[in-house]
Amino acid sequence: MPAAAKPDMKERILQTADRLFYLKGIRAIGVDTIAAEIGISKRTLYNHFPSKDELISAYLKRRFVVAKPSEKSPLSQILGYFDALERRFSAKDFRGCPFVNAVAELGPEDRAVKKIAIAFKESRRVWFRDLLAQLGVADAEGLATQLVLLVDGSIAQDLVRDDPAMARAAKAAAKVLLKNAGVDVGEIGGAAEAP
Amino acid sequence: MPAAAKPDMKERILQTADRLFYLKGIRAIGVDTIAAEIGISKRTLYNHFPSKDELISAYLKRRFVVAKPSEKSPLSQILGYFDALERRFSAKDFRGCPFVNAVAELGPEDRAVKKIAIAFKESRRVWFRDLLAQLGVADAEGLATQLVLLVDGSIAQDLVRDDPAMARAAKAAAKVLLKNAGVDVGEIGGAAEAP
DNA sequence: GGGCATGTACACAGATCTGTTTACTTTTTG
DNA sequence: CAAAAAGTAAACAGATCTGTGTACATGCCC
């Protein structure tokens, strides 16, 4: 039918690539599949991205969203992160961390992918660290690292087991670590948690 | 050259497949590559494994080693697990958890792979749980889950960042969780650890 | 000696993947 | 209007992948 005047073709390509790469795997999806899914020709796709590698990088960079400043208290931001994790685990289209998956899939030789993955992991660690510093935690660096271990551990476990309870377990452990660092987190149950 | 009388051909194939699948990725390695690496013909490989899928399953099953009973105390077994992790992270050929990587690479539709991965994760959780029960921990189930989060989290982080310190951070966090559960773990530093 | 399992070498089928080329059509814009 | 920009359709090149087929060589056991 029509030819041009498609708005945000690049964004539409990226949206589709994101969904397919993330759900099925980067190596499992060919550029033909992405083009066919949108209903465009392969040539059009290659006019927007010079190679699949570029598309992969763009996909990962688009996934790299920075946390916006919040009005909420540092503690509720930290604990809320685990609640958000649990919601994401419960969604049926959750399939682990796209950065970890990409590194696992593409191997350590793909420097471009690894670089983006490292940057993302570091930015999230820094986000935790700054919130912890606001709470007056002495070793904010060390505790931030431990919190991201819980985050990534629950993501890996949920990827394999499809169990959103992993997020609750991570939150419970995070509370223990916070309390141990002198943060008042209120009551701490064994593992359960009152919403 | 010679023809038959190769001892343990199946095991040799598995060893090579293990190394290549794990280091480069399952989808990145073709059966030709494996056969060429050993110096056998592709036909021979297919005589031992009827399909690549079967070879993948055999690779993962072979990675699934059960922990042998130990003479050491439950606590030192638990803490020693994190020390072993750190040693593995320091090896240059470490590239994350083969089960998580396989699920990430092959997608959730590969039931055979997912089944093995779930079984492995569960067996390790049970290993922790039983040791915790021996220590008299009340909620051994919950704490075991939290410990495997730290384990898998440090593995995912090391995969991306190549930083063996992730294992030390996990160990430090584990100590805090153990202490909180009433286990005497001796002195606890901020994040560092005396060997 | 004679099967028979096991291996080699190598070609081949058929699918799929990245990326290009060619020729044509439609829309926007100066 | 006319040129440029953007898209379509479809074939193609060249590589790679899984799996099979064919013909031959070697070693072991009866």
Short mmCIF file of all heavy atoms in Angstrom, two decimals, chain A residues 3 9 39-41 44 48, chain D residues 6-12:
data_model
loop_
_atom_site.label_atom_id
_atom_site.label_comp_id
_atom_site.label_asym_id
_atom_site.label_seq_id
_atom_site.Cartn_x
_atom_site.Cartn_y
_atom_site.Cartn_z
N ALA A 3 3.79 4.12 0.92
CA ALA A 3 5.24 3.94 0.82
C ALA A 3 5.98 4.66 1.94
O ALA A 3 6.61 4.04 2.76
CB ALA A 3 5.74 4.45 -0.52
N MET A 9 9.58 5.45 12.05
CA MET A 9 9.89 4.10 11.58
C MET A 9 11.00 3.47 12.43
O MET A 9 10.92 2.31 12.82
CB MET A 9 10.31 4.15 10.11
CG MET A 9 10.67 2.80 9.53
SD MET A 9 9.31 1.61 9.56
CE MET A 9 8.45 2.10 8.07
N GLY A 39 5.92 -5.59 8.88
CA GLY A 39 5.31 -5.48 7.56
C GLY A 39 6.10 -4.53 6.65
O GLY A 39 5.54 -3.93 5.74
N ILE A 40 7.38 -4.39 6.93
CA ILE A 40 8.23 -3.57 6.06
C ILE A 40 9.23 -4.47 5.36
O ILE A 40 9.35 -5.65 5.68
CB ILE A 40 9.01 -2.50 6.87
CG1 ILE A 40 9.98 -3.18 7.84
CG2 ILE A 40 8.05 -1.56 7.58
CD1 ILE A 40 10.87 -2.23 8.58
N SER A 41 9.90 -3.91 4.38
CA SER A 41 10.89 -4.71 3.67
C SER A 41 12.21 -4.68 4.42
O SER A 41 12.49 -3.77 5.20
CB SER A 41 11.09 -4.19 2.26
OG SER A 41 11.80 -2.98 2.29
N THR A 44 14.29 -1.55 4.04
CA THR A 44 13.95 -0.41 4.90
C THR A 44 14.64 -0.52 6.25
O THR A 44 15.19 0.45 6.77
CB THR A 44 12.42 -0.35 5.10
OG1 THR A 44 11.79 -0.22 3.83
CG2 THR A 44 12.04 0.83 5.97
N HIS A 48 17.74 2.02 8.14
CA HIS A 48 17.75 2.67 9.45
C HIS A 48 18.88 2.16 10.35
O HIS A 48 19.38 2.91 11.18
CB HIS A 48 16.40 2.45 10.14
CG HIS A 48 15.30 3.26 9.55
ND1 HIS A 48 15.10 4.59 9.85
CD2 HIS A 48 14.34 2.95 8.64
CE1 HIS A 48 14.06 5.04 9.18
NE2 HIS A 48 13.58 4.07 8.42
P DA D 6 14.76 10.38 3.99
OP1 DA D 6 14.54 10.94 5.34
OP2 DA D 6 16.10 9.88 3.59
"O5'" DA D 6 13.70 9.22 3.76
"C5'" DA D 6 12.32 9.54 3.82
"C4'" DA D 6 11.52 8.33 3.41
"O4'" DA D 6 11.52 8.23 1.96
"C3'" DA D 6 12.11 7.01 3.94
"O3'" DA D 6 11.10 6.29 4.62
"C2'" DA D 6 12.58 6.29 2.69
"C1'" DA D 6 11.65 6.88 1.62
N9 DA D 6 12.20 6.79 0.28
C8 DA D 6 13.49 7.02 -0.12
N7 DA D 6 13.69 6.85 -1.40
C5 DA D 6 12.44 6.48 -1.88
C6 DA D 6 11.99 6.16 -3.17
N6 DA D 6 12.77 6.16 -4.26
N1 DA D 6 10.67 5.85 -3.31
C2 DA D 6 9.90 5.86 -2.22
N3 DA D 6 10.22 6.15 -0.95
C4 DA D 6 11.51 6.46 -0.86
P DG D 7 11.44 4.90 5.27
OP1 DG D 7 10.81 4.91 6.59
OP2 DG D 7 12.88 4.59 5.09
"O5'" DG D 7 10.59 3.93 4.33
"C5'" DG D 7 9.26 4.32 4.00
"C4'" DG D 7 8.71 3.42 2.93
"O4'" DG D 7 9.30 3.78 1.66
"C3'" DG D 7 9.05 1.93 3.14
"O3'" DG D 7 7.86 1.14 3.21
"C2'" DG D 7 9.89 1.54 1.95
"C1'" DG D 7 9.53 2.61 0.92
N9 DG D 7 10.66 2.81 0.02
C8 DG D 7 11.91 3.31 0.34
N7 DG D 7 12.72 3.36 -0.68
C5 DG D 7 11.97 2.87 -1.74
C6 DG D 7 12.31 2.69 -3.10
O6 DG D 7 13.38 2.92 -3.66
N1 DG D 7 11.24 2.16 -3.84
C2 DG D 7 10.01 1.87 -3.32
N2 DG D 7 9.12 1.37 -4.16
N3 DG D 7 9.67 2.03 -2.04
C4 DG D 7 10.69 2.54 -1.32
P DT D 8 7.98 -0.40 3.35
OP1 DT D 8 6.82 -0.85 4.14
OP2 DT D 8 9.34 -0.76 3.78
"O5'" DT D 8 7.80 -0.88 1.85
"C5'" DT D 8 6.67 -0.43 1.10
"C4'" DT D 8 6.56 -1.26 -0.16
"O4'" DT D 8 7.58 -0.84 -1.10
"C3'" DT D 8 6.75 -2.76 0.08
"O3'" DT D 8 5.73 -3.49 -0.56
"C2'" DT D 8 8.13 -3.05 -0.51
"C1'" DT D 8 8.28 -1.97 -1.58
N1 DT D 8 9.68 -1.54 -1.81
C2 DT D 8 10.23 -1.66 -3.05
O2 DT D 8 9.62 -2.10 -4.00
N3 DT D 8 11.52 -1.23 -3.15
C4 DT D 8 12.31 -0.71 -2.15
O4 DT D 8 13.47 -0.37 -2.36
C5 DT D 8 11.68 -0.61 -0.86
C7 DT D 8 12.43 -0.07 0.31
C6 DT D 8 10.40 -1.03 -0.75
P DA D 9 5.48 -4.99 -0.20
OP1 DA D 9 4.02 -5.19 -0.20
OP2 DA D 9 6.28 -5.32 0.99
"O5'" DA D 9 6.10 -5.77 -1.43
"C5'" DA D 9 5.93 -5.27 -2.76
"C4'" DA D 9 6.80 -6.06 -3.70
"O4'" DA D 9 8.10 -5.40 -3.84
"C3'" DA D 9 7.09 -7.49 -3.23
"O3'" DA D 9 6.81 -8.37 -4.30
"C2'" DA D 9 8.57 -7.46 -2.84
"C1'" DA D 9 9.12 -6.37 -3.73
N9 DA D 9 10.29 -5.67 -3.18
C8 DA D 9 10.47 -5.25 -1.89
N7 DA D 9 11.62 -4.64 -1.69
C5 DA D 9 12.23 -4.66 -2.93
C6 DA D 9 13.47 -4.17 -3.39
N6 DA D 9 14.35 -3.54 -2.59
N1 DA D 9 13.77 -4.35 -4.69
C2 DA D 9 12.90 -4.98 -5.47
N3 DA D 9 11.69 -5.49 -5.16
C4 DA D 9 11.42 -5.29 -3.86
P DA D 10 6.74 -9.94 -4.08
OP1 DA D 10 5.63 -10.47 -4.88
OP2 DA D 10 6.80 -10.21 -2.62
"O5'" DA D 10 8.10 -10.40 -4.74
"C5'" DA D 10 8.59 -9.71 -5.88
"C4'" DA D 10 10.02 -10.11 -6.14
"O4'" DA D 10 10.94 -9.16 -5.52
"C3'" DA D 10 10.40 -11.49 -5.56
"O3'" DA D 10 11.20 -12.17 -6.49
"C2'" DA D 10 11.20 -11.12 -4.32
"C1'" DA D 10 11.94 -9.90 -4.86
N9 DA D 10 12.57 -9.09 -3.84
C8 DA D 10 12.16 -8.90 -2.55
N7 DA D 10 12.95 -8.12 -1.86
C5 DA D 10 13.94 -7.77 -2.75
C6 DA D 10 15.09 -6.97 -2.62
N6 DA D 10 15.42 -6.35 -1.51
N1 DA D 10 15.88 -6.84 -3.72
C2 DA D 10 15.54 -7.48 -4.85
N3 DA D 10 14.48 -8.26 -5.09
C4 DA D 10 13.72 -8.37 -3.98
P DA D 11 11.35 -13.75 -6.41
OP1 DA D 11 10.22 -14.37 -7.12
OP2 DA D 11 11.64 -14.11 -5.02
"O5'" DA D 11 12.68 -13.98 -7.25
"C5'" DA D 11 13.07 -13.03 -8.24
"C4'" DA D 11 14.51 -12.62 -8.01
"O4'" DA D 11 14.61 -11.78 -6.84
"C3'" DA D 11 15.44 -13.81 -7.76
"O3'" DA D 11 16.40 -13.87 -8.81
"C2'" DA D 11 16.07 -13.53 -6.40
"C1'" DA D 11 15.85 -12.03 -6.23
N9 DA D 11 15.80 -11.59 -4.83
C8 DA D 11 14.86 -11.90 -3.90
N7 DA D 11 15.07 -11.35 -2.72
C5 DA D 11 16.23 -10.62 -2.91
C6 DA D 11 16.97 -9.80 -2.04
N6 DA D 11 16.63 -9.58 -0.76
N1 DA D 11 18.09 -9.21 -2.54
C2 DA D 11 18.41 -9.45 -3.82
N3 DA D 11 17.79 -10.19 -4.73
C4 DA D 11 16.70 -10.76 -4.21
P DC D 12 17.32 -15.12 -8.97
OP1 DC D 12 17.64 -15.24 -10.39
OP2 DC D 12 16.72 -16.25 -8.23
"O5'" DC D 12 18.64 -14.68 -8.20
"C5'" DC D 12 19.18 -13.39 -8.47
"C4'" DC D 12 20.24 -13.06 -7.43
"O4'" DC D 12 19.60 -12.67 -6.21
"C3'" DC D 12 21.13 -14.25 -7.09
"O3'" DC D 12 22.42 -14.03 -7.64
"C2'" DC D 12 21.14 -14.28 -5.56
"C1'" DC D 12 20.49 -12.96 -5.17
N1 DC D 12 19.73 -12.99 -3.89
C2 DC D 12 20.21 -12.28 -2.79
O2 DC D 12 21.26 -11.67 -2.89
N3 DC D 12 19.50 -12.30 -1.62
C4 DC D 12 18.35 -12.98 -1.54
N4 DC D 12 17.70 -12.96 -0.39
C5 DC D 12 17.85 -13.70 -2.66
C6 DC D 12 18.56 -13.69 -3.79
#
